[in-house]
Amino acid sequence: MLKPEAVIDSFTIASGFAFLSPWHPSSITIDGVSYPTVEHAMQAHKTLDAETRELVRRAKSPKDAKKLGHSVQVREDWPRVKLSLMREFNEKKFESPFLRDALLKTGDAELVFKNTWNDTYFGVCKGVGENWLGKILMEIREDIRRKDSVVYEPFKEM
């Protein structure tokens, strides 16, 4: 377990925390459709066009999905829904017992999605950013803890 004051700001293989990245292989199913990564799901859901969404879903890699996501007709409500979709997709990702346990092992560390590609909404670049992915991951970690700590009272007859 990490020290409470720890900060995890590298979601890479080298850091040992690649599982936190939206690019980490972790099949999630949304509306009966399986996506290989959270990144694929996010980029596909930028559009409401079914054919384009399928094209993005089938991209060979998260990098390719991201490239395709830059060229889609972005849905009108994207600014309003992108945060809730990121949360939903990560909740599904961390239903995996292996990933769930790995997330819990981050302890109380602050999770910061540091990047070099200027994502200052979901991450932090050059010290600037809202870090929504990090915040979502910490919320999910806390939700898992809360659910794990629920104690059920034995059935009592009245």
Side-chain angles (χ1 to χ4, degrees), residues 36-71:
T37 68
V38 167
E39 188 69 29
H40 281 80
M42 283 298 290
Q43 297 301 330
H45 281 78
K46 281 184 174 179
T47 184
L48 296 175
D49 180 73
E51 286 181 25
T52 304
R53 197 177 269 190
E54 180 62 13
L55 180 69
V56 175
R57 184 187 76 80
R58 290 177 177 253
K60 284 186 187 179
S61 68
K63 183 178 182 179
D64 290 344
K66 187 174 185 113
K67 282 182 188 176
L68 288 168
H70 287 300
S71 64

Side-chain angles (χ1 to χ4, degrees), residues 23-98:
W23 287 32
H24 182 77
S26 50
S27 182
I28 61 170
T29 302
I30 310 297
D31 298 326
V33 179
S34 182
Y35 294 84
T37 68
V38 167
E39 188 69 29
H40 281 80
M42 283 298 290
Q43 297 301 330
H45 281 78
K46 281 184 174 179
T47 184
L48 296 175
D49 180 73
E51 286 181 25
T52 304
R53 197 177 269 190
E54 180 62 13
L55 180 69
V56 175
R57 184 187 76 80
R58 290 177 177 253
K60 284 186 187 179
S61 68
K63 183 178 182 179
D64 290 344
K66 187 174 185 113
K67 282 182 188 176
L68 288 168
H70 287 300
S71 64
V72 302
Q73 175 70 41
V74 178
R75 58 197 278 181
E76 215 174 282
D77 64 348
W78 183 245
R80 276 187 299 116
V81 301
K82 65 184 177 181
L83 195 56
S84 62
L85 289 174
M86 180 65 88
R87 170 126 185 146
E88 175 188 349
F89 301 161
N90 274 285
E91 285 173 344
K92 293 211 179 267
K93 172 182 175 177
F94 287 98
E95 286 174 359
S96 155
F98 173 78

